[in-house]
Amino acid sequence: MDKQRRNFLKIASVTALAGIGAPALVRLTSTAAVASEHVAAAGHAPAKEKAGAHGEAAPKGVRLGMVIDMRRFVENPRLLNNAIAACNLVHNIPQIDNSKSEIKWLWKAPFTSVFPEQSAYHAAGNVENTSFAVLCNHCDDPPCVRACPTQATFKIPGNGIIAMDYHRCIGCRFCMAACPYGARSFNWEDPRPYIKKYNPDFPTRMRGVVEKCNFCGERLALGQEPACVEACKGTGAMVFGDLNDPKSEIRRLLDKEFTIQRNASLGTKPSVFYIV
Amino acid sequence: MIEKILRGKPAYWMWLAFLGSFIAIGAACYARQYLFGLGLTGMSRDVSWGLYISQFTFLVGVAAGGVMLVLPYYVHNYKVFGKITILGEFLAIAAIVMCMLFIMADLGQPLRAVNVILHPTPHSMLFWDMCVLIGYLSLNILCGWVILTAERKGVHPPRWIYFFVYLSIPFAVSIHTVTAMLYCGLPGRHFWLSAIIAPRFLASAFAAGPALIVIACLVLKRVANFDAGKQAMDKLVTIIMYAAMLNTFFVLLEVFVGYYSNIPGHKHSIEYLFFGLEHHGHVYNNLVPFMWTSVVLNFSALGLFSLPYVRRKNEFLLGLSCVMIFLALWIDKGLGFVFAGFVPSPLHEIVEYIPTLNELGITIGVWATGFFILTVLYKIVVGVEHEIES
Ligand code: SF4
Ligand code: SF4
Ligand code: SF4
């Protein structure tokens, strides 16, 4: 099972580190992608897509996504901290202790913040008192990409990751105004002095550019799982995979459990799902 | 014509020196910001645009406002504006230069600004905004210069220039429409997500731009013996009144939609602007005094304008009313509109924005640069005018 997943990840990965130089991509030819295309073409698009937004196009290619199972995080309160620490470490995320300038890729927020459009009236105790994991949704129809005037934020065609080119970003912050999920952070000053432990395998950022979760594109390229997913290994708290592949673990989970996305009414088609 | 800049009364030089000192302050502040980063401003992760972008938005309106002179004069052959149309065109130039400086001041990586041209991205409204702003700036420089040169020689302007004059009219509308589209197409920002933003921007622009021109005319009459004519001023005031009333109407429509629909997202920003927004036991109300000042100024100015005595007899009150309406619109669009759009944040937190001194220094510096350019351009206009008369 583990091997199977690793294989898939290899297939759905990019060769270039998102964010280093130009977005050099390799066209993906994966059996997984072919399989899902085949299913769609045969008119057996799984019920999930049909039941979604009206007329959502038949899935094509690989679309990476994540399911966050909050029940597992409630069972194990330390788990989310571990996942956040893993992401911070792997991505050289500066620890700026100041809500004005902080940089956040994966962080905690209460239900009412993460799902402001949902009612929390007489919500169950575990919803009220739980910190939810928040990260970029890697929207299938991302407003940040639409807004960016330089294509420094772009969608990787092969896997649906919304990636960034830190060397092209002009720091206009139009994408921050456009993202309806508050997923983006701006480097208001040089972040390097705030990096606790430097990881030479991932670029640090300069001041004046925007950044956010990249779905660990650089790790996928090496056949590794996202760092946060790896930190939750064996618990099922974070499940990562191809939303368009009916045989993937994430799809089996989605088919089985009732999930919600953050403010899906905006038409952004978030690829991160929550089991509350 | 350039030589006209170099000859002037001591008051002219003192005014330029006065502006120059603010430009110097702005430049020094910008140097600091350039070296440290935008962390020197009051902007934050949640309020990611501040004074720079709000001033930009307002000034695009001032630039577009010049069309309220160009259109009657060239399209409707309204001769009374003959003498001052050029003031509208030159105001547009100064305003757009300010817009561009504000954008540059706001960029995290200003040296990469050229990426917008190197990687043209038609699905980004910022790309189009850049195109129309550069277009409108060029059109105004071209038309203003060619027509003024012809005037000076006492000949009719060449016929080809009218093509560009007419072209500048839709361009004026487009700069402010596209600027509105920067905001009104963003999902999840309820306060901005409204189809009335573009008309509202245009209405306030068509009041603010002409108001500044009336003020300039009154000043020029005192200090430079340049008389725009009573009839022209009267007509300008009429334009300002209608435009300001339309703007007020549009704002009230927003209030109605918010409160009658009772949808929280539609109400929050309005509540934040006018009454303060309560969140976790704390009331956030930074902008409330400003907004009510704007309301009072707006209605008082409209009241004053409606008195024939103010319009035709008392230049001091006329100037005062124009300053009042200009300030009212500046607060409404140059502060409230942009800042309130970020409240509450997507994660329903409330972060208030307070500009820093350094940020204010840069802002004042850019305004001073704009007025410097405006002064110099108007000096040329007045000089040419006097030359023709003598
Ligand atoms: S969550 Fe925000 S940053 Fe991430 S893809 Fe969607 S719009 Fe873009
Ligand atoms: S800040 Fe960078 S990524 Fe965001 S819109 Fe501007 S150029 Fe694009
Ligand atoms: S997917 Fe990677 S980048 Fe995104 S939150 Fe997890 S560890 Fe961080």
Side-chain angles (χ1 to χ4, degrees), chain B residues 150-168:
Chain B
E151 235 173 74
R152 188 186 186 197
K153 292 190 191 133
V155 295
H156 283 295
R159 289 186 59 137
W160 57 264
I161 195 68
Y162 288 102
F163 170 77
F164 293 101
V165 171
Y166 291 133
L167 187 63
S168 78

Side-chain angles (χ1 to χ4, degrees), chain A residues 99-105 107 109-110 112-114 116-117 134 143 145-151 165-190 206-209 262-263 266 268, chain B residues 33-50 52-53 106-110 112-116 119-127 181-183 185-190 192-193 280 342 346-349 351 356:
Chain A
S99 67
K100 183 174 168 288
S101 317
E102 65 190 336
I103 307 282
K104 300 191 279 196
W105 286 32
W107 73 101
T112 47
S113 291
V114 185
E117 72 291 346
V134 193
V145 171
R146 224 179 298 148
C148 179
T150 62
Q151 295 154 46
D165 182 345
Y166 307 120
H167 293 263
R168 188 185 282 190
C169 172
I170 59 174
C172 64
R173 308 187 297 293
F174 198 9
C175 53
M176 291 176 81
C179 170
Y181 305 106
R184 304 182 144 256
S185 307
F186 181 71
N187 287 286
W188 297 99
E189 54 187 292
D190 183 9
M206 66 287 281
R207 70 178 153 82
V209 300
R262 294 178 64 196
N263 209 344
L266 298 176
T268 52
Chain B
Q33 178 185 301
Y34 185 84
L35 294 173
F36 181 82
L38 283 164
L40 282 189
T41 68
M43 291 184 270
S44 58
R45 195 180 185 278
D46 288 313
V47 186
S48 46
W49 279 340
Y52 302 147
I53 292 294
D106 187 66
L107 291 186
Q109 290 285 340
R112 294 186 192 163
V114 64
N115 278 359
V116 180
H119 310 283
T121 310
H123 54 67
S124 172
M125 286 302 122
L126 207 56
F127 167 74
M181 286 169 174
L182 294 179
Y183 298 99
L186 305 179
R189 304 272 179 195
H190 293 284
W192 296 339
L193 190 75
H280 293 324
F342 291 104
L347 283 111
H348 269 223
E349 277 141 19
V351 176
T356 60

Side-chain angles (χ1 to χ4, degrees), chain A residues 66 83 86-87 91 105-106 135 138 212-216 226-229 238 240:
Chain A
M66 189 185 275
C87 179
H91 296 112
W105 286 32
L106 172 63
L135 71 165
H138 295 272
K212 64 166 193 76
C213 155
N214 66 349
F215 257 5
C216 285
C228 55
V229 175
M238 290 177 130
F240 185 80

